[in-house]
Short mmCIF file of all heavy atoms in Angstrom, two decimals:
data_model
loop_
_atom_site.label_atom_id
_atom_site.label_comp_id
_atom_site.label_asym_id
_atom_site.label_seq_id
_atom_site.Cartn_x
_atom_site.Cartn_y
_atom_site.Cartn_z
N PHE R 1 39.62 143.41 160.01
CA PHE R 1 40.93 143.69 160.63
C PHE R 1 41.95 143.49 159.54
O PHE R 1 41.95 142.59 158.77
CB PHE R 1 41.07 142.61 161.78
CG PHE R 1 42.55 142.51 162.25
CD1 PHE R 1 42.90 143.50 163.07
CD2 PHE R 1 43.40 141.62 161.84
CE1 PHE R 1 44.21 143.55 163.68
CE2 PHE R 1 44.68 141.59 162.34
CZ PHE R 1 45.08 142.55 163.19
N THR R 2 42.84 144.41 159.57
CA THR R 2 44.00 144.41 158.64
C THR R 2 45.24 144.63 159.51
O THR R 2 45.18 145.06 160.62
CB THR R 2 43.96 145.42 157.56
OG1 THR R 2 44.16 146.71 158.19
CG2 THR R 2 42.63 145.35 156.73
N ILE R 3 46.39 144.27 158.86
CA ILE R 3 47.71 144.45 159.62
C ILE R 3 47.85 145.99 159.91
O ILE R 3 48.47 146.25 160.95
CB ILE R 3 48.81 143.86 158.77
CG1 ILE R 3 48.79 142.30 158.71
CG2 ILE R 3 50.18 144.34 159.13
CD1 ILE R 3 49.73 141.73 157.79
N HIS R 4 47.39 146.76 159.08
CA HIS R 4 47.64 148.22 159.27
C HIS R 4 46.79 148.74 160.52
O HIS R 4 47.03 149.87 160.96
CB HIS R 4 47.28 148.98 157.97
CG HIS R 4 48.17 148.73 156.86
ND1 HIS R 4 49.49 149.11 156.86
CD2 HIS R 4 47.97 147.94 155.78
CE1 HIS R 4 49.97 148.64 155.77
NE2 HIS R 4 49.15 147.91 155.08
N ASP R 5 45.92 147.93 161.02
CA ASP R 5 45.18 148.25 162.22
C ASP R 5 45.99 148.18 163.48
O ASP R 5 45.68 148.72 164.56
CB ASP R 5 43.79 147.47 162.41
CG ASP R 5 42.85 147.68 161.37
OD1 ASP R 5 42.72 148.85 160.88
OD2 ASP R 5 42.17 146.77 161.01
N LEU R 6 47.15 147.47 163.33
CA LEU R 6 48.04 147.22 164.48
C LEU R 6 49.00 148.33 164.67
O LEU R 6 49.37 148.96 163.56
CB LEU R 6 48.83 145.92 164.25
CG LEU R 6 48.14 144.61 164.32
CD1 LEU R 6 48.98 143.56 163.83
CD2 LEU R 6 47.60 144.42 165.68
N PRO R 7 49.40 148.65 165.84
CA PRO R 7 50.49 149.70 166.04
C PRO R 7 51.77 149.20 165.16
O PRO R 7 52.05 147.90 165.21
CB PRO R 7 50.72 149.76 167.43
CG PRO R 7 49.53 149.13 168.02
CD PRO R 7 48.98 148.19 167.08
N LYS R 8 52.52 150.05 164.51
CA LYS R 8 53.63 149.58 163.84
C LYS R 8 54.56 148.64 164.47
O LYS R 8 54.90 147.65 163.85
CB LYS R 8 54.31 150.74 163.28
CG LYS R 8 55.33 150.48 162.17
CD LYS R 8 55.85 151.64 161.33
CE LYS R 8 56.70 151.17 160.14
NZ LYS R 8 56.88 152.05 159.16
N PRO R 9 54.92 148.87 165.77
CA PRO R 9 55.85 147.86 166.33
C PRO R 9 55.32 146.47 166.51
O PRO R 9 55.97 145.50 166.73
CB PRO R 9 56.22 148.43 167.70
CG PRO R 9 55.84 149.89 167.59
CD PRO R 9 54.78 150.00 166.62
N GLU R 10 53.89 146.34 166.55
CA GLU R 10 53.31 144.98 166.67
C GLU R 10 52.97 144.36 165.35
O GLU R 10 52.45 143.25 165.38
CB GLU R 10 51.97 145.25 167.53
CG GLU R 10 52.25 145.72 168.86
CD GLU R 10 51.04 145.95 169.71
OE1 GLU R 10 50.01 145.34 169.36
OE2 GLU R 10 51.10 146.71 170.56
N ARG R 11 53.22 144.94 164.32
CA ARG R 11 52.93 144.41 162.89
C ARG R 11 53.93 143.18 162.59
O ARG R 11 55.08 143.25 163.06
CB ARG R 11 53.12 145.46 161.83
CG ARG R 11 52.08 146.54 161.93
CD ARG R 11 52.15 147.52 160.88
NE ARG R 11 51.23 148.63 161.06
CZ ARG R 11 51.18 149.76 160.43
NH1 ARG R 11 51.97 149.94 159.43
NH2 ARG R 11 50.25 150.65 160.65
N PRO R 12 53.42 142.09 162.00
CA PRO R 12 54.24 140.96 161.66
C PRO R 12 55.65 141.33 161.06
O PRO R 12 56.64 140.66 161.47
CB PRO R 12 53.38 140.03 160.75
CG PRO R 12 51.98 140.58 161.06
CD PRO R 12 52.18 142.00 161.45
N ARG R 13 55.69 142.11 160.03
CA ARG R 13 56.90 142.43 159.42
C ARG R 13 57.93 142.98 160.36
O ARG R 13 59.17 142.56 160.43
CB ARG R 13 56.78 143.31 158.19
CG ARG R 13 57.95 143.48 157.29
CD ARG R 13 57.87 144.23 156.01
NE ARG R 13 56.58 143.95 155.42
CZ ARG R 13 56.30 143.00 154.56
NH1 ARG R 13 57.43 142.10 154.28
NH2 ARG R 13 55.19 142.79 153.95
N GLU R 14 57.56 143.86 161.16
CA GLU R 14 58.45 144.52 162.11
C GLU R 14 58.89 143.64 163.23
O GLU R 14 60.05 143.58 163.67
CB GLU R 14 57.74 145.78 162.72
CG GLU R 14 57.76 147.05 161.78
CD GLU R 14 56.70 146.88 160.62
OE1 GLU R 14 55.83 145.97 160.68
OE2 GLU R 14 56.78 147.76 159.78
N ARG R 15 57.92 142.79 163.72
CA ARG R 15 58.24 141.73 164.70
C ARG R 15 59.26 140.66 164.12
O ARG R 15 60.10 140.19 164.81
CB ARG R 15 57.00 141.10 165.30
CG ARG R 15 56.26 142.09 166.18
CD ARG R 15 55.06 141.56 166.90
NE ARG R 15 54.95 140.16 167.05
CZ ARG R 15 54.03 139.39 166.48
NH1 ARG R 15 53.16 139.90 165.64
NH2 ARG R 15 53.96 138.04 166.73
N LEU R 16 59.01 140.38 162.82
CA LEU R 16 59.91 139.44 162.18
C LEU R 16 61.31 139.97 162.19
O LEU R 16 62.37 139.25 162.50
CB LEU R 16 59.42 139.08 160.75
CG LEU R 16 60.31 138.18 159.90
CD1 LEU R 16 60.39 136.74 160.46
CD2 LEU R 16 59.82 138.16 158.42
N GLN R 17 61.46 141.16 161.82
CA GLN R 17 62.83 141.80 161.70
C GLN R 17 63.52 141.91 163.05
O GLN R 17 64.59 141.62 163.22
CB GLN R 17 62.72 143.12 161.15
CG GLN R 17 62.42 143.10 159.57
CD GLN R 17 62.15 144.53 159.04
OE1 GLN R 17 61.80 145.50 159.82
NE2 GLN R 17 62.29 144.69 157.74
N LYS R 18 62.69 142.15 164.16
CA LYS R 18 63.22 142.34 165.44
C LYS R 18 63.43 141.08 166.16
O LYS R 18 64.44 140.91 166.89
CB LYS R 18 62.25 143.35 166.22
CG LYS R 18 62.86 143.71 167.59
CD LYS R 18 62.06 144.81 168.23
CE LYS R 18 62.70 145.28 169.52
NZ LYS R 18 61.98 146.35 170.14
N PHE R 19 62.51 140.14 166.07
CA PHE R 19 62.58 138.94 167.04
C PHE R 19 62.78 137.61 166.15
O PHE R 19 62.94 136.60 166.84
CB PHE R 19 61.27 138.77 167.76
CG PHE R 19 60.97 140.04 168.59
CD1 PHE R 19 59.92 140.83 168.38
CD2 PHE R 19 61.80 140.33 169.73
CE1 PHE R 19 59.62 141.92 169.15
CE2 PHE R 19 61.47 141.43 170.51
CZ PHE R 19 60.44 142.25 170.25
N GLY R 20 62.63 137.56 164.91
CA GLY R 20 62.82 136.38 164.13
C GLY R 20 61.57 135.65 163.87
O GLY R 20 60.50 135.97 164.46
N PRO R 21 61.45 134.65 163.05
CA PRO R 21 60.24 134.04 162.58
C PRO R 21 59.53 133.30 163.79
O PRO R 21 58.41 133.01 163.76
CB PRO R 21 60.57 133.02 161.52
CG PRO R 21 62.10 132.89 161.67
CD PRO R 21 62.66 134.16 162.30
N GLU R 22 60.44 132.90 164.83
CA GLU R 22 59.84 132.19 165.92
C GLU R 22 58.73 132.92 166.73
O GLU R 22 57.94 132.50 167.37
CB GLU R 22 60.88 131.74 166.94
CG GLU R 22 61.89 130.84 166.38
CD GLU R 22 63.05 131.73 165.57
OE1 GLU R 22 63.21 132.83 165.77
OE2 GLU R 22 63.68 131.02 164.71
N ALA R 23 58.85 134.31 166.52
CA ALA R 23 57.92 135.34 167.26
C ALA R 23 56.58 135.37 166.54
O ALA R 23 55.70 136.00 167.21
CB ALA R 23 58.53 136.60 167.51
N LEU R 24 56.40 134.82 165.38
CA LEU R 24 55.19 134.93 164.69
C LEU R 24 54.40 133.65 164.53
O LEU R 24 54.99 132.65 164.70
CB LEU R 24 55.55 135.42 163.26
CG LEU R 24 55.66 136.92 163.00
CD1 LEU R 24 56.96 137.49 163.76
CD2 LEU R 24 55.83 137.22 161.55
N SER R 25 53.05 133.81 164.47
CA SER R 25 52.27 132.68 164.30
C SER R 25 52.31 132.19 162.88
O SER R 25 52.84 132.93 161.95
CB SER R 25 50.75 133.00 164.65
OG SER R 25 50.31 133.91 163.62
N ALA R 26 51.83 130.99 162.65
CA ALA R 26 51.78 130.52 161.19
C ALA R 26 50.86 131.45 160.36
O ALA R 26 51.30 131.71 159.15
CB ALA R 26 51.21 129.08 161.17
N GLN R 27 49.89 131.91 160.87
CA GLN R 27 48.96 132.89 160.19
C GLN R 27 49.67 134.12 159.73
O GLN R 27 49.66 134.55 158.68
CB GLN R 27 47.75 133.17 160.96
CG GLN R 27 46.87 134.16 160.26
CD GLN R 27 45.61 134.61 161.05
OE1 GLN R 27 45.47 134.14 162.24
NE2 GLN R 27 44.77 135.40 160.53
#
């Protein structure tokens, strides 16, 4: 599994930009 396997809106970088760091897991 890689980040590129995720749909673009669900990738960590995009979620970080849209929702902030609180929306991401520590991993």
Side-chain angles (χ1 to χ4, degrees):
F1 171 78
T2 69
I3 289 174
H4 296 288
D5 292 329
L6 293 170
K8 194 162 185 165
E10 294 178 25
R11 294 179 185 174
R13 188 175 318 279
E14 284 73 11
R15 289 187 17 251
L16 175 66
Q17 290 173 339
K18 187 170 185 179
F19 303 112
E22 302 81 19
L24 276 66
S25 68
Q27 181 183 0

